[in-house]
Amino acid sequence: MNRRGPKIPPLSVTEAQRAVLEGWVRRRSTAQALALRSRIVLECAQGHSIMEVSRRLKVAPDTVRTWRRRFLDRGLDGLSDEPRPGVPRKITDADVERVIVRTLEEKPANATHWSTRSMAAATGMSQSAISRIWRAFALAPHRSETFKLSTGPLFIDKVRDVVGLYLDPPEKALVLCVDEKSQIQALDRSQPVLPIMPGVPERRSHDYVRAGTTTLFAALEVATGKVIGSLHRRHRAAEFKKFLTKLDKEVPADLDVHLILDNYATHKTPAIKKWLLAHPRFHLHFTPTGSSWLNLVERWFGELTSKKLRRGVHRSVQALERDIRAWLTDWNEHPRPFVWTKTADEILDKVATYCQRISDSRH
């Protein structure tokens, strides 16, 4: 009586397949499961029986049969793990659509925006499910950003004018971005600042003592990044006129001067207009109303605020002004220009997209 069962067909392995299998066995980075399956195929290819391979590799006979059969059917690809179906899906496409529509078009009755908990309670789904849906569709109701569109009637013309100066400046001329950082406060903390330590950040008291204010007039040279600055205790047309006089002295006389500035009232007083008539090489280019982002000097003011003012401690206005002058001198020793990259058409296209969104939001 034959108890060996049906005869198993021989396992043939090509030279190319053998090279790949031996590489998988030797390579340290190969997963252990794949290395074992490769050994099983190589042992079977040498003519060993299933029971002998099972004994030599210390695996169950059914394991040898499985991977032998998979190799016969699909070759090397058969040794890879097949995707597993996992737990049946409980959240349908209709449930996902319901969450997305509710997130985008509705608000909770007792809050300004949805949270995962409030949306889970409103839809009868779990909080983790809401979180996964929001992440998949890049929804973040807890986040908010600010924006403002200019209402100036000459917005398009002014954008093209200012951006044109950035991207294609005139010859034999200097382009300066001018603005004032007013009401810079000299602040002294009510208690000493605790320095940084391993595992502990710098700590400051939340309250402070005001020692006064100053105003910084600044002109950023677009080409080189150098800044001409002037500090004044008041912010009037008289101080702006003094700053213009300083610019006239520091800019070479053979160059025209194009100033990019905002529509602040001190820039348009009769005294300023009279001064400009006496200095015809100065040309003013005004940014649109509510569009200070067009003025590159605002970016420089951001550097000054984050690196010198926000965490600074000053017990007097004089100390504050000394620090600002020192920082300005250090900047001009190693100036870094801010490069404008957007064209006027790209900006206007983006504004048009925002206008479309606003007109569709029932405002």
Side-chain angles (χ1 to χ4, degrees):
M1 183 176 182
N2 186 4
R3 296 184 178 180
R4 295 184 180 179
K7 185 177 180 180
I8 299 175
L11 186 64
S12 61
V13 178
T14 65
E15 291 299 325
Q17 289 174 330
R18 184 182 298 276
V20 173
L21 292 170
E22 291 176 349
W24 285 346
V25 171
R26 290 194 303 267
R27 193 178 303 125
R28 293 183 179 182
S29 59
T30 303
Q32 291 300 310
L34 180 58
L36 176 60
R37 297 164 194 170
S38 301
R39 291 190 185 97
I40 291 173
V41 174
L42 289 173
E43 291 285 343
C44 292
Q46 293 178 9
H48 300 305
S49 66
I50 290 177
M51 297 304 296
E52 189 175 355
V53 174
S54 172
R55 185 172 56 255
R56 290 166 65 94
L57 299 182
K58 298 180 181 180
V59 295
D62 287 342
T63 302
V64 178
R65 292 189 183 93
T66 297
W67 296 111
R68 190 181 190 281
R69 188 184 313 113
R70 288 274 294 272
F71 182 81
L72 282 172
D73 295 341
R74 298 169 52 192
L76 294 175
D77 293 338
L79 301 184
S80 301
D81 286 325
E82 294 180 341
R84 302 178 181 179
V87 179
R89 182 180 178 187
K90 297 180 180 179
I91 301 175
T92 65
D93 291 343
D95 294 330
V96 174
E97 181 181 3
R98 182 160 52 94
V99 171
I100 296 173
V101 170
R102 198 155 191 172
T103 303
L104 297 177
E105 299 182 2
E106 300 180 17
K107 290 185 178 181
N110 58 348
T112 58
H113 59 279
W114 292 104
S115 67
T116 53
R117 290 181 175 84
S118 61
M119 180 59 75
T123 58
M125 302 169 66
S126 68
Q127 182 183 350
S128 59
I130 300 298
S131 181
R132 289 195 300 271
I133 294 172
W134 281 355
R135 283 200 303 270
F137 290 89
L139 295 173
H142 63 284
R143 294 185 56 192
S144 176
E145 297 180 353
T146 59
F147 81 98
K148 179 172 180 170
L149 294 178
S150 174
T151 57
L154 299 177
F155 174 77
I156 296 177
D157 295 337
K158 290 182 177 180
V159 167
R160 294 193 181 279
D161 180 32
V162 173
V163 175
L165 288 175
Y166 290 150
L167 300 181
D168 188 19
E171 296 181 358
K172 296 183 179 181
L174 196 66
V175 179
L176 298 175
C177 297
V178 176
D179 201 2
E180 305 90 13
K181 188 171 180 63
S182 60
Q183 299 296 309
I184 306 175
Q185 300 186 79
L187 303 178
D188 182 20
R189 300 293 164 179
S190 60
Q191 297 177 5
V193 176
L194 300 180
I196 184 175
M197 296 177 62
V200 180
E202 178 188 272
R203 290 175 290 177
R204 296 167 289 155
S205 60
H206 68 277
D207 54 344
Y208 46 81
V209 178
R210 295 184 180 91
T213 62
T214 189
T215 294
L216 172 63
F217 290 77
L220 171 70
E221 186 177 337
V222 173
T224 64
K226 291 184 178 181
V227 177
I228 301 172
S230 180
L231 289 164
H232 298 275
R233 299 295 175 85
R234 303 186 68 177
H235 185 198
R236 304 171 302 174
E239 284 72 30
F240 181 63
K241 182 178 177 180
K242 292 178 182 178
F243 183 59
L244 290 176
T245 302
K246 181 177 182 178
L247 294 179
D248 187 38
K249 292 179 180 178
E250 296 197 14
V251 176
D254 59 333
L255 295 178
D256 283 347
V257 183
H258 293 264
L259 303 183
I260 298 173
L261 65 169
D262 61 21
N263 292 274
Y264 195 60
T266 56
H267 301 159
K268 300 179 179 181
T269 62
I272 298 299
K273 293 179 180 179
K274 184 177 179 180
W275 188 93
L276 291 173
L277 290 174
H279 300 79
R281 72 180 184 131
F282 279 78
H283 309 276
L284 271 56
H285 305 262
F286 294 102
T287 60
T289 304
S291 301
S292 59
W293 48 269
L294 265 178
N295 199 331
L296 281 178
V297 75
E298 296 291 347
R299 180 65 184 85
W300 184 82
F301 282 151
E303 290 286 304
L304 172 64
T305 300
S306 64
K307 295 182 178 180
K308 195 65 181 179
L309 300 179
R310 182 174 292 123
R311 292 168 60 174
V313 176
H314 304 96
R315 297 180 178 177
S316 65
V317 177
Q318 292 81 0
L320 171 63
E321 292 179 343
R322 281 197 302 270
D323 269 1
I324 293 176
R325 290 192 182 99
W327 197 83
L328 180 58
T329 300
D330 181 72
W331 174 275
N332 285 331
E333 289 178 357
H334 308 282
R336 299 180 297 278
F338 301 103
V339 180
W340 191 274
T341 58
K342 292 285 187 179
T343 65
D345 288 335
E346 290 173 333
I347 295 172
L348 295 175
D349 288 343
K350 192 168 185 179
V351 171
T353 301
Y354 271 110
C355 290
Q356 184 64 36
R357 292 179 62 182
I358 291 175
S359 63
D360 291 341
S361 61
R362 305 187 185 95
H363 284 287

